[in-house]
Amino acid sequence: MAILKVKKMQRLIGNKILVRSIVTFITVFLFNSCGKTYIEKSRDEYSPEDVDPIVFSVTGPLTVYQTDTRDYEIGYSRAGSSWSWSVEGAEIAGISEDTKRASVFFRDKPSNDTVYLTVSETTSGGVKSPDTVIKVKVIEFCVLEIQNFTGLFDCNESGYHTYQVNFRKDPVLSNTILNDNFWDWPGPGQVVRYTLSGDFLETVTVPKQTFIFGDGITGWVEGNGTYKGCSHTMVVDYTVFYDGNLYQTHHEFSPAVK
Amino acid sequence: MKRLFLLIFLSACFGTISPHTKFITVDEDTVALGASRHRIDLSGNSDIKILDSAPGDQASLSKVPSASIKEFNKLTLSVSTIDEKSLKKVNAGSVFSALSGKSPGLIVLNPSGEPGKLPSISLRGSSQLTASQFPLIILDGAILEGTLNDINADDIESVEVMRGPAASALYGSRGGNGVIEIKTLSGNLLQEGKTEILFRNEYGINRAAGKYNPAIHHAYRLAGDQSQFNFTKYEGVTYPDGYTGTMPGFSGTRTDEDDQYMDNAYAALFDHEDLVLPGNDFLTNYISAGANLGKFNYMASFENHMQSGILSETNGFRRNSFRVNFDYRIIPELTVSATNLYVRSKTEVPGGVGATSSEIFMNTLLLSPDADITVKNPDGQPFNFIPDAWTPFVINPLYLLRKIENETERNRFAGTYRAKLVLMDLLNIEALYSFQYLTTGKSIYAPYDTYTLSDSMPVYSHGSLSLTNSSLLSGNAMLSASISREFGDITAGARLCYLLEKMSFSSDSRYGEAFSRPGTRSFDDLTINKSEDNFEKKINSNYITGLFYAWYREKYLLDGAFCYSGTSLSDYDGRWHPWMRISAAYRLTQDFEIPGVNEMRLRMAFGTAGYRPGFQNQFEVFSVSSGNMLRTWMGNSLLKPSLSREFEAGLNIDFLDRFSFEIVRSVNSTRDQTLLMTLPAQSGELINQVMNSGRMTVKSWEASLKADVIKTKYLDYSLTLVVDRIRQKITKLDVPPFRPALPGEQEYMSFYFREGETPGAMYGYSWVRSLEEMKNQLAVSDLPSTWWDDSSIDSYVVNSDGYVIVKGTEGTTSEIPVKKNDTSGMPLFSKIGDSNPNFRIWLSNSLSFNGIGIYALLEWKNGGDIYNRTAQNLAGHKRLGMMDQFRNPDFLKKAIPYYMEFYDNNSFNDFWVEDGSYLKLRELALFYEFPAPMLKDFSKGYVKSLKLSLTARNIFTLTNYSGYDPEVLATDSYNYYAYDYAGYPHCKSYSLSVELKF
């Protein structure tokens, strides 16, 4: 009888140990196998507020002309982010729907000054980046008004001397003027035609054209140069063909002192 | 009063007396006793006679109350015996699958679900550095040669696992990896005068155990009118009229969106994994008939086994086996027995060459999700060769599966013939001869109209044919004598044995390309690149073995063995080698009574065994190229088998009447490994030589607990817990560190062999994961800084994935993880992982109630890293599921360049090292045995038993591993390298089995 009791007790103890061992093992099995990967754990501990934004890339010109409207664009993408733009000394003409691109209009800025374009990013978690300030140099620029390049101009010809020429508007072509005293030696009624670009490049083109010189010899002239819309000056380099020879000529035009 | 008897299981020369020896105590009132194969005559109670393997006139075991028999295995060594009942709790297609979780120290790894593919088996870790870890297999007393797939699990009576060199010392130069001995069924298991017929039919289905789920979104810009088309229309691409998305002809280039998030939808989605891996069925029909007619008994069986795997267009593995075993007792002292086996099997390798290059499985994952792989080719052939014109390098896996045949057909004849003579009840003499004749024919055939790529355009390859035929003939001849005797309190025995082992193998291979015309399969019709190879080898080995045992008053057990073996695999200088074992056990409970403890035994053993070098290693090898003969391998006449020395100590406790616990510590050191070395330049043109070099030390802890938790008339519940922890290290390497394969074999390049290192350690680059780490390499950072201060830690943050990046770049295309650098500022190449698990645990549960039973086997592998090359390769092709950002919240989105940095042009780095821990429900079986009275009424006594089983295998795996399955290994030799590259996915299966006995 006593032996039976001992055996029963042993069984009970055995069962308890066994059941606990099995439960422990299975718990450890599951716990150990249910762990997460390094990336999963990292992601679990990560929140939208942890994204630390910096506006690290903006594309757009750092030098602009007065009156220009230029686009500035964020050079990267970040899901859920939006960007805020502001400018000092110019105005935001428009912002794209995704806020990544801003159009800046520089008309009102005085010439040869700097505009400060400021942009910041706000992430999907509401975190705002530090402001990124872009310094934009504004170059003077006056819209071409062709009448400013008509009338008497002093022409300083390299290796010769300064003499006066009279520019008048071409009756047909826009932004084109006619010089009636080229080389200070035109044949009767002879003019040289200059075309001004009218854009920020402010270039002058003298298309190749026949020219009768003061001695009646027919040659040709061709050239290019630049002009300044604000100062009404013009610098042109020519190739001139006269009497079987080519000549290089440089002219600097400025309004004649009245 | 109890009597102690000795049963000697004589199998072959190798069959150790000790492991097979059972001591049986018999209660005085027992009138008869039988044990599985052997019967004991108890007539007269005082004169007990062993009639080994001889069917006699005694009462059978079934008539003896089990409580009256106490049986304990000799435990001086680590030998696990797995009986038929344990093996067949779950029906298994292969006996090796059935071994999983049955013995501590026995690791069965199924690297894939490929039908006919053998699992990798190792005992107590990997003692070989580069050679196979596969243990020696003994089938019915003879060494098994060739593939092991011919063994049919239904025919198995028992399996004995000798876990280490100490246990397998008798196997000499073949025992270094341990030994698994398999015995097949025979008629003497039946009650005398009984005939039994058994039918078992099993039908089941396979499904892929998991899916990779590649990305189903992309980052390309879509055309504005995409919604009007059924194919994915990209911006910047001009499509021809009538374009359907399955052909080339478009012009232009698709470009990524600015954010490069893979979150744009394809116009169509096809589940290529479902199409290529739909799952198939499997079937086993088994019939056996056996009878015990007293002097003569027999067992004959036939099996038809078909395992189709899960691949489309591939039949998988077929096997038919026919077996006849019989024993005939000519006179009471002389018994002859024979086992005869014929097996015919056929294996189809998926997609021909694709099987070895992983092309089938990798391509399945690389295909764009909108690629329809079911449409026909322009020439009418099924399955378009290039289903996605955007990825012309990805060949349709269905096309390869259908078009290219790769078949292996085997025929095996095997027989074992034995005569056993018992003289004067003391001396046993046994003679055994066994043979195996195995022919194998392998063909890989690509028909004339098989497409190939030429300048990225599909053209007919004109086909190719590869034929390999081989034959293997092996024979074992053995003569042994054993004797046992009692000397007062001492019982002692000994055995002497001689074994001659011969094996010859020959093969011829032919290969050629470009058939002269369509529709032919003749080698003579091939026109280019024809080649022919022949190979022949003959191996002779001799073994002289002896063993002795002695025990004193059931208390002190002593066992010793020696083996002197010679093999032609070594030249004369290294041919003959001695091997030995000495072991002892002390049964404490014979001296001390410990409350609750039924049996406690301490044991220790020391033994040696070896592993033979390969056949060709002793010879010089020449290659012929353009008529020039060049020596490429230098022979080594000094080569000898590796030498494993193992010391083990164990404790066995049986307690509380129903628990049985074992714990074993083993230390095995294997020196003189056979390693392939590249010789220094001064040796001229001889570049490779196999040498004896290096030492591997394996230390293991093994434990098992078996418990009969509940044992009543109606309810039985038992469980077995098996645990092992294995640590292995290269303790000596006489050569510079090297990688375990020839350069160019990319898959192994992350694994290093170096002294002091663990085989299975992975090497590569790694990524900075904390700002602390980043601080240490700021000064030597080679990051191309532009807008941030690369010398300030404030310029860095840890991103949502836990990697250090430049602050402010998270979620953008500029988000780039930082590689760890060494002190010189160069990327640090260091250890990044270890394939070896911390430990493994198997828990098997068996519950039965009134004929209804349930069996479950759980396997838990803790730790052990896997290198997921599949995922890395998918990342490089923008197909990795992780890269799909569609479901990610904004703050977790990552752009393609971020993942490309981890892809790192396929260089090994720790991003792709994953934890391979898993908990797997490996087997789950529910069965019902109809009550005998019901069957008797129903069948008028003809049907003895009827059993229905529902079995599920691999149906549940809990793991963090992102691949198909965390059960991964490189090859059988490098089974400690967990390297995953698009292999045949693992299967889960469900089956119904009906077993009838008449």
PDB file of all heavy atoms in Angstrom, chain A residues 11 18 22 29 32 35 38 42-43 46 52 78-80, chain B residues 261 658 709 719 800-802 807-808 810 860 862 919 960:
ATOM      1  N   ARG A  11       4.401   9.703  -9.518  1.00  0.00           N
ATOM      2  CA  ARG A  11       3.747   9.981 -10.803  1.00  0.00           C
ATOM      3  C   ARG A  11       3.262  11.421 -10.850  1.00  0.00           C
ATOM      4  O   ARG A  11       3.388  12.125 -11.836  1.00  0.00           O
ATOM      5  CB  ARG A  11       2.583   9.017 -11.015  1.00  0.00           C
ATOM      6  CG  ARG A  11       3.041   7.658 -11.462  1.00  0.00           C
ATOM      7  CD  ARG A  11       1.957   6.936 -12.227  1.00  0.00           C
ATOM      8  NE  ARG A  11       2.438   5.617 -12.596  1.00  0.00           N
ATOM      9  CZ  ARG A  11       2.137   4.499 -11.936  1.00  0.00           C
ATOM     10  NH1 ARG A  11       1.351   4.536 -10.885  1.00  0.00           N
ATOM     11  NH2 ARG A  11       2.629   3.342 -12.331  1.00  0.00           N
ATOM     12  N   LEU A  18       6.716  17.339 -15.707  1.00  0.00           N
ATOM     13  CA  LEU A  18       6.610  17.138 -17.149  1.00  0.00           C
ATOM     14  C   LEU A  18       5.783  18.224 -17.809  1.00  0.00           C
ATOM     15  O   LEU A  18       6.195  18.838 -18.801  1.00  0.00           O
ATOM     16  CB  LEU A  18       5.978  15.769 -17.392  1.00  0.00           C
ATOM     17  CG  LEU A  18       6.190  15.230 -18.768  1.00  0.00           C
ATOM     18  CD1 LEU A  18       7.654  14.893 -18.968  1.00  0.00           C
ATOM     19  CD2 LEU A  18       5.345  13.994 -18.962  1.00  0.00           C
ATOM     20  N   ILE A  22       7.069  20.878 -20.438  1.00  0.00           N
ATOM     21  CA  ILE A  22       6.539  20.984 -21.807  1.00  0.00           C
ATOM     22  C   ILE A  22       6.075  22.408 -22.083  1.00  0.00           C
ATOM     23  O   ILE A  22       6.386  23.001 -23.114  1.00  0.00           O
ATOM     24  CB  ILE A  22       5.382  19.985 -22.014  1.00  0.00           C
ATOM     25  CG1 ILE A  22       5.917  18.557 -21.975  1.00  0.00           C
ATOM     26  CG2 ILE A  22       4.667  20.246 -23.332  1.00  0.00           C
ATOM     27  CD1 ILE A  22       4.836  17.513 -21.906  1.00  0.00           C
ATOM     28  N   PHE A  29      10.099  27.886 -27.212  1.00  0.00           N
ATOM     29  CA  PHE A  29      10.086  27.628 -28.665  1.00  0.00           C
ATOM     30  C   PHE A  29       9.482  28.818 -29.394  1.00  0.00           C
ATOM     31  O   PHE A  29      10.068  29.403 -30.277  1.00  0.00           O
ATOM     32  CB  PHE A  29       9.174  26.431 -28.978  1.00  0.00           C
ATOM     33  CG  PHE A  29       9.854  25.093 -28.959  1.00  0.00           C
ATOM     34  CD1 PHE A  29      10.987  24.875 -28.215  1.00  0.00           C
ATOM     35  CD2 PHE A  29       9.327  24.036 -29.663  1.00  0.00           C
ATOM     36  CE1 PHE A  29      11.584  23.632 -28.185  1.00  0.00           C
ATOM     37  CE2 PHE A  29       9.904  22.790 -29.647  1.00  0.00           C
ATOM     38  CZ  PHE A  29      11.038  22.584 -28.901  1.00  0.00           C
ATOM     39  N   ASN A  32      11.123  32.280 -28.902  1.00  0.00           N
ATOM     40  CA  ASN A  32      12.387  32.405 -29.609  1.00  0.00           C
ATOM     41  C   ASN A  32      12.203  32.489 -31.108  1.00  0.00           C
ATOM     42  O   ASN A  32      12.947  33.145 -31.805  1.00  0.00           O
ATOM     43  CB  ASN A  32      13.273  31.208 -29.264  1.00  0.00           C
ATOM     44  CG  ASN A  32      14.724  31.592 -29.285  1.00  0.00           C
ATOM     45  OD1 ASN A  32      15.283  31.714 -30.351  1.00  0.00           O
ATOM     46  ND2 ASN A  32      15.306  31.813 -28.116  1.00  0.00           N
ATOM     47  N   GLY A  35      10.658  35.995 -32.715  1.00  0.00           N
ATOM     48  CA  GLY A  35      11.408  37.239 -32.668  1.00  0.00           C
ATOM     49  C   GLY A  35      11.359  37.966 -33.993  1.00  0.00           C
ATOM     50  O   GLY A  35      10.907  37.419 -34.995  1.00  0.00           O
ATOM     51  N   TYR A  38      16.237  42.285 -37.468  1.00  0.00           N
ATOM     52  CA  TYR A  38      16.862  43.557 -37.087  1.00  0.00           C
ATOM     53  C   TYR A  38      16.095  44.719 -37.718  1.00  0.00           C
ATOM     54  O   TYR A  38      15.799  45.717 -37.057  1.00  0.00           O
ATOM     55  CB  TYR A  38      18.317  43.552 -37.552  1.00  0.00           C
ATOM     56  CG  TYR A  38      19.035  44.843 -37.288  1.00  0.00           C
ATOM     57  CD1 TYR A  38      19.397  45.203 -36.002  1.00  0.00           C
ATOM     58  CD2 TYR A  38      19.349  45.706 -38.339  1.00  0.00           C
ATOM     59  CE1 TYR A  38      20.046  46.401 -35.758  1.00  0.00           C
ATOM     60  CE2 TYR A  38      19.998  46.896 -38.102  1.00  0.00           C
ATOM     61  CZ  TYR A  38      20.352  47.242 -36.805  1.00  0.00           C
ATOM     62  OH  TYR A  38      20.993  48.433 -36.567  1.00  0.00           O
ATOM     63  N   SER A  42      13.907  47.575 -35.808  1.00  0.00           N
ATOM     64  CA  SER A  42      14.240  48.986 -36.012  1.00  0.00           C
ATOM     65  C   SER A  42      13.024  49.767 -36.471  1.00  0.00           C
ATOM     66  O   SER A  42      12.766  50.881 -36.002  1.00  0.00           O
ATOM     67  CB  SER A  42      15.355  49.121 -37.061  1.00  0.00           C
ATOM     68  OG  SER A  42      16.500  48.436 -36.640  1.00  0.00           O
ATOM     69  N   ARG A  43      12.277  49.161 -37.337  1.00  0.00           N
ATOM     70  CA  ARG A  43      11.091  49.857 -37.858  1.00  0.00           C
ATOM     71  C   ARG A  43      10.028  50.021 -36.779  1.00  0.00           C
ATOM     72  O   ARG A  43       9.323  51.031 -36.738  1.00  0.00           O
ATOM     73  CB  ARG A  43      10.519  49.110 -39.056  1.00  0.00           C
ATOM     74  CG  ARG A  43      11.429  49.219 -40.260  1.00  0.00           C
ATOM     75  CD  ARG A  43      10.789  48.716 -41.525  1.00  0.00           C
ATOM     76  NE  ARG A  43      11.593  49.153 -42.670  1.00  0.00           N
ATOM     77  CZ  ARG A  43      11.144  49.220 -43.913  1.00  0.00           C
ATOM     78  NH1 ARG A  43       9.905  48.879 -44.192  1.00  0.00           N
ATOM     79  NH2 ARG A  43      11.924  49.634 -44.891  1.00  0.00           N
ATOM     80  N   TYR A  46      10.678  52.920 -34.745  1.00  0.00           N
ATOM     81  CA  TYR A  46      10.816  54.146 -35.516  1.00  0.00           C
ATOM     82  C   TYR A  46       9.444  54.775 -35.715  1.00  0.00           C
ATOM     83  O   TYR A  46       8.449  54.076 -35.912  1.00  0.00           O
ATOM     84  CB  TYR A  46      11.427  53.815 -36.877  1.00  0.00           C
ATOM     85  CG  TYR A  46      12.229  54.924 -37.477  1.00  0.00           C
ATOM     86  CD1 TYR A  46      13.494  55.228 -36.994  1.00  0.00           C
ATOM     87  CD2 TYR A  46      11.732  55.657 -38.539  1.00  0.00           C
ATOM     88  CE1 TYR A  46      14.251  56.234 -37.556  1.00  0.00           C
ATOM     89  CE2 TYR A  46      12.475  56.665 -39.116  1.00  0.00           C
ATOM     90  CZ  TYR A  46      13.742  56.954 -38.626  1.00  0.00           C
ATOM     91  OH  TYR A  46      14.483  57.959 -39.191  1.00  0.00           O
ATOM     92  N   ASP A  52      14.464  62.966 -39.994  1.00  0.00           N
ATOM     93  CA  ASP A  52      15.111  64.255 -39.730  1.00  0.00           C
ATOM     94  C   ASP A  52      15.439  64.903 -41.069  1.00  0.00           C
ATOM     95  O   ASP A  52      16.447  64.578 -41.688  1.00  0.00           O
ATOM     96  CB  ASP A  52      16.399  63.973 -38.933  1.00  0.00           C
ATOM     97  CG  ASP A  52      16.834  65.197 -38.164  1.00  0.00           C
ATOM     98  OD1 ASP A  52      16.243  66.264 -38.385  1.00  0.00           O
ATOM     99  OD2 ASP A  52      17.768  65.082 -37.357  1.00  0.00           O
ATOM    100  N   ARG A  78      10.999  62.943 -51.154  1.00  0.00           N
ATOM    101  CA  ARG A  78      10.833  62.228 -49.896  1.00  0.00           C
ATOM    102  C   ARG A  78       9.330  62.055 -49.686  1.00  0.00           C
ATOM    103  O   ARG A  78       8.586  63.038 -49.654  1.00  0.00           O
ATOM    104  CB  ARG A  78      11.449  62.997 -48.728  1.00  0.00           C
ATOM    105  CG  ARG A  78      11.520  62.147 -47.477  1.00  0.00           C
ATOM    106  CD  ARG A  78      12.192  62.796 -46.272  1.00  0.00           C
ATOM    107  NE  ARG A  78      12.958  63.988 -46.447  1.00  0.00           N
ATOM    108  CZ  ARG A  78      14.295  64.061 -46.286  1.00  0.00           C
ATOM    109  NH1 ARG A  78      14.981  62.976 -46.002  1.00  0.00           N
ATOM    110  NH2 ARG A  78      14.922  65.207 -46.412  1.00  0.00           N
ATOM    111  N   ALA A  79       8.905  60.837 -49.596  1.00  0.00           N
ATOM    112  CA  ALA A  79       7.473  60.558 -49.550  1.00  0.00           C
ATOM    113  C   ALA A  79       6.813  61.305 -48.400  1.00  0.00           C
ATOM    114  O   ALA A  79       7.303  61.287 -47.282  1.00  0.00           O
ATOM    115  CB  ALA A  79       7.242  59.060 -49.389  1.00  0.00           C
ATOM    116  N   GLY A  80       5.710  61.944 -48.715  1.00  0.00           N
ATOM    117  CA  GLY A  80       4.902  62.593 -47.689  1.00  0.00           C
ATOM    118  C   GLY A  80       5.368  63.967 -47.288  1.00  0.00           C
ATOM    119  O   GLY A  80       4.710  64.634 -46.491  1.00  0.00           O
TER     120      GLY A  80
ATOM    121  N   TYR B 261      10.716  55.173 -55.960  1.00  0.00           N
ATOM    122  CA  TYR B 261      10.018  54.243 -55.078  1.00  0.00           C
ATOM    123  C   TYR B 261       9.325  53.205 -55.946  1.00  0.00           C
ATOM    124  O   TYR B 261       8.648  53.557 -56.913  1.00  0.00           O
ATOM    125  CB  TYR B 261       8.931  54.944 -54.260  1.00  0.00           C
ATOM    126  CG  TYR B 261       9.423  55.953 -53.258  1.00  0.00           C
ATOM    127  CD1 TYR B 261       8.727  57.138 -53.037  1.00  0.00           C
ATOM    128  CD2 TYR B 261      10.574  55.715 -52.513  1.00  0.00           C
ATOM    129  CE1 TYR B 261       9.155  58.059 -52.113  1.00  0.00           C
ATOM    130  CE2 TYR B 261      11.009  56.646 -51.576  1.00  0.00           C
ATOM    131  CZ  TYR B 261      10.296  57.820 -51.388  1.00  0.00           C
ATOM    132  OH  TYR B 261      10.732  58.738 -50.475  1.00  0.00           O
ATOM    133  N   ARG B 658       8.996   5.829 -15.739  1.00  0.00           N
ATOM    134  CA  ARG B 658       8.567   6.110 -17.114  1.00  0.00           C
ATOM    135  C   ARG B 658       9.392   7.174 -17.816  1.00  0.00           C
ATOM    136  O   ARG B 658       9.049   7.629 -18.890  1.00  0.00           O
ATOM    137  CB  ARG B 658       7.102   6.499 -17.176  1.00  0.00           C
ATOM    138  CG  ARG B 658       6.663   7.329 -16.065  1.00  0.00           C
ATOM    139  CD  ARG B 658       5.211   7.541 -16.025  1.00  0.00           C
ATOM    140  NE  ARG B 658       4.958   8.409 -14.891  1.00  0.00           N
ATOM    141  CZ  ARG B 658       4.018   9.306 -14.849  1.00  0.00           C
ATOM    142  NH1 ARG B 658       3.204   9.424 -15.852  1.00  0.00           N
ATOM    143  NH2 ARG B 658       3.858  10.044 -13.806  1.00  0.00           N
ATOM    144  N   VAL B 709       4.256   9.255 -20.560  1.00  0.00           N
ATOM    145  CA  VAL B 709       3.534  10.116 -19.628  1.00  0.00           C
ATOM    146  C   VAL B 709       2.279   9.425 -19.105  1.00  0.00           C
ATOM    147  O   VAL B 709       2.023   9.378 -17.912  1.00  0.00           O
ATOM    148  CB  VAL B 709       3.159  11.448 -20.325  1.00  0.00           C
ATOM    149  CG1 VAL B 709       2.501  12.392 -19.340  1.00  0.00           C
ATOM    150  CG2 VAL B 709       4.399  12.076 -20.925  1.00  0.00           C
ATOM    151  N   LEU B 719       6.256  11.086 -25.008  1.00  0.00           N
ATOM    152  CA  LEU B 719       6.973  12.140 -25.721  1.00  0.00           C
ATOM    153  C   LEU B 719       8.463  11.861 -25.678  1.00  0.00           C
ATOM    154  O   LEU B 719       8.959  11.177 -24.774  1.00  0.00           O
ATOM    155  CB  LEU B 719       6.662  13.518 -25.141  1.00  0.00           C
ATOM    156  CG  LEU B 719       7.137  13.883 -23.744  1.00  0.00           C
ATOM    157  CD1 LEU B 719       8.563  14.392 -23.763  1.00  0.00           C
ATOM    158  CD2 LEU B 719       6.238  14.965 -23.174  1.00  0.00           C
ATOM    159  N   SER B 800      15.370  54.202 -40.378  1.00  0.00           N
ATOM    160  CA  SER B 800      14.287  53.340 -39.876  1.00  0.00           C
ATOM    161  C   SER B 800      14.645  51.867 -39.946  1.00  0.00           C
ATOM    162  O   SER B 800      14.059  51.048 -39.236  1.00  0.00           O
ATOM    163  CB  SER B 800      13.006  53.594 -40.676  1.00  0.00           C
ATOM    164  OG  SER B 800      13.232  53.349 -42.057  1.00  0.00           O
ATOM    165  N   ASP B 801      15.590  51.498 -40.796  1.00  0.00           N
ATOM    166  CA  ASP B 801      16.004  50.093 -40.886  1.00  0.00           C
ATOM    167  C   ASP B 801      17.138  49.775 -39.912  1.00  0.00           C
ATOM    168  O   ASP B 801      17.603  48.634 -39.836  1.00  0.00           O
ATOM    169  CB  ASP B 801      16.493  49.769 -42.316  1.00  0.00           C
ATOM    170  CG  ASP B 801      15.336  49.695 -43.296  1.00  0.00           C
ATOM    171  OD1 ASP B 801      14.169  49.730 -42.836  1.00  0.00           O
ATOM    172  OD2 ASP B 801      15.593  49.608 -44.508  1.00  0.00           O
ATOM    173  N   GLY B 802      17.604  50.813 -39.216  1.00  0.00           N
ATOM    174  CA  GLY B 802      18.671  50.576 -38.252  1.00  0.00           C
ATOM    175  C   GLY B 802      20.067  50.734 -38.830  1.00  0.00           C
ATOM    176  O   GLY B 802      21.023  50.256 -38.242  1.00  0.00           O
ATOM    177  N   LYS B 807      22.548  62.315 -42.540  1.00  0.00           N
ATOM    178  CA  LYS B 807      21.362  62.984 -42.013  1.00  0.00           C
ATOM    179  C   LYS B 807      20.637  63.746 -43.116  1.00  0.00           C
ATOM    180  O   LYS B 807      21.265  64.430 -43.924  1.00  0.00           O
ATOM    181  CB  LYS B 807      21.794  63.954 -40.918  1.00  0.00           C
ATOM    182  CG  LYS B 807      20.676  64.597 -40.151  1.00  0.00           C
ATOM    183  CD  LYS B 807      21.279  65.442 -39.035  1.00  0.00           C
ATOM    184  CE  LYS B 807      20.197  66.139 -38.241  1.00  0.00           C
ATOM    185  NZ  LYS B 807      20.804  66.934 -37.154  1.00  0.00           N
ATOM    186  N   GLY B 808      19.348  63.633 -43.114  1.00  0.00           N
ATOM    187  CA  GLY B 808      18.534  64.376 -44.065  1.00  0.00           C
ATOM    188  C   GLY B 808      18.227  63.630 -45.338  1.00  0.00           C
ATOM    189  O   GLY B 808      17.403  64.057 -46.137  1.00  0.00           O
ATOM    190  N   GLU B 810      17.102  60.463 -45.552  1.00  0.00           N
ATOM    191  CA  GLU B 810      16.224  59.307 -45.373  1.00  0.00           C
ATOM    192  C   GLU B 810      15.020  59.368 -46.313  1.00  0.00           C
ATOM    193  O   GLU B 810      14.338  60.391 -46.438  1.00  0.00           O
ATOM    194  CB  GLU B 810      15.722  59.243 -43.928  1.00  0.00           C
ATOM    195  CG  GLU B 810      14.831  58.041 -43.688  1.00  0.00           C
ATOM    196  CD  GLU B 810      14.942  57.505 -42.286  1.00  0.00           C
ATOM    197  OE1 GLU B 810      15.407  58.245 -41.421  1.00  0.00           O
ATOM    198  OE2 GLU B 810      14.579  56.338 -42.085  1.00  0.00           O
ATOM    199  N   TRP B 860      13.023  22.502 -33.433  1.00  0.00           N
ATOM    200  CA  TRP B 860      13.416  23.888 -33.153  1.00  0.00           C
ATOM    201  C   TRP B 860      14.910  24.015 -33.350  1.00  0.00           C
ATOM    202  O   TRP B 860      15.684  23.359 -32.670  1.00  0.00           O
ATOM    203  CB  TRP B 860      13.036  24.255 -31.723  1.00  0.00           C
ATOM    204  CG  TRP B 860      13.479  25.638 -31.321  1.00  0.00           C
ATOM    205  CD1 TRP B 860      13.717  26.700 -32.130  1.00  0.00           C
ATOM    206  CD2 TRP B 860      13.719  26.083 -29.988  1.00  0.00           C
ATOM    207  NE1 TRP B 860      14.084  27.783 -31.386  1.00  0.00           N
ATOM    208  CE2 TRP B 860      14.099  27.442 -30.068  1.00  0.00           C
ATOM    209  CE3 TRP B 860      13.647  25.481 -28.734  1.00  0.00           C
ATOM    210  CZ2 TRP B 860      14.407  28.189 -28.944  1.00  0.00           C
ATOM    211  CZ3 TRP B 860      13.958  26.242 -27.613  1.00  0.00           C
ATOM    212  CH2 TRP B 860      14.325  27.578 -27.722  1.00  0.00           C
ATOM    213  N   ASN B 862      17.765  26.730 -33.025  1.00  0.00           N
ATOM    214  CA  ASN B 862      18.013  28.047 -32.462  1.00  0.00           C
ATOM    215  C   ASN B 862      19.326  28.592 -32.999  1.00  0.00           C
ATOM    216  O   ASN B 862      20.392  28.009 -32.785  1.00  0.00           O
ATOM    217  CB  ASN B 862      18.058  27.956 -30.931  1.00  0.00           C
ATOM    218  CG  ASN B 862      18.325  29.313 -30.311  1.00  0.00           C
ATOM    219  OD1 ASN B 862      19.456  29.761 -30.250  1.00  0.00           O
ATOM    220  ND2 ASN B 862      17.280  29.964 -29.871  1.00  0.00           N
ATOM    221  N   LEU B 919      11.072  27.133 -35.931  1.00  0.00           N
ATOM    222  CA  LEU B 919      10.286  26.114 -35.225  1.00  0.00           C
ATOM    223  C   LEU B 919       9.407  25.486 -36.293  1.00  0.00           C
ATOM    224  O   LEU B 919       8.634  26.169 -36.955  1.00  0.00           O
ATOM    225  CB  LEU B 919       9.422  26.752 -34.143  1.00  0.00           C
ATOM    226  CG  LEU B 919       8.430  25.818 -33.459  1.00  0.00           C
ATOM    227  CD1 LEU B 919       9.143  24.748 -32.673  1.00  0.00           C
ATOM    228  CD2 LEU B 919       7.510  26.601 -32.534  1.00  0.00           C
ATOM    229  N   ASN B 960      11.944  33.725 -38.947  1.00  0.00           N
ATOM    230  CA  ASN B 960      12.122  35.077 -39.472  1.00  0.00           C
ATOM    231  C   ASN B 960      12.823  35.052 -40.820  1.00  0.00           C
ATOM    232  O   ASN B 960      13.018  36.096 -41.425  1.00  0.00           O
ATOM    233  CB  ASN B 960      12.980  35.908 -38.510  1.00  0.00           C
ATOM    234  CG  ASN B 960      12.167  36.364 -37.335  1.00  0.00           C
ATOM    235  OD1 ASN B 960      10.973  36.626 -37.451  1.00  0.00           O
ATOM    236  ND2 ASN B 960      12.795  36.433 -36.185  1.00  0.00           N
TER     237      ASN B 960
END
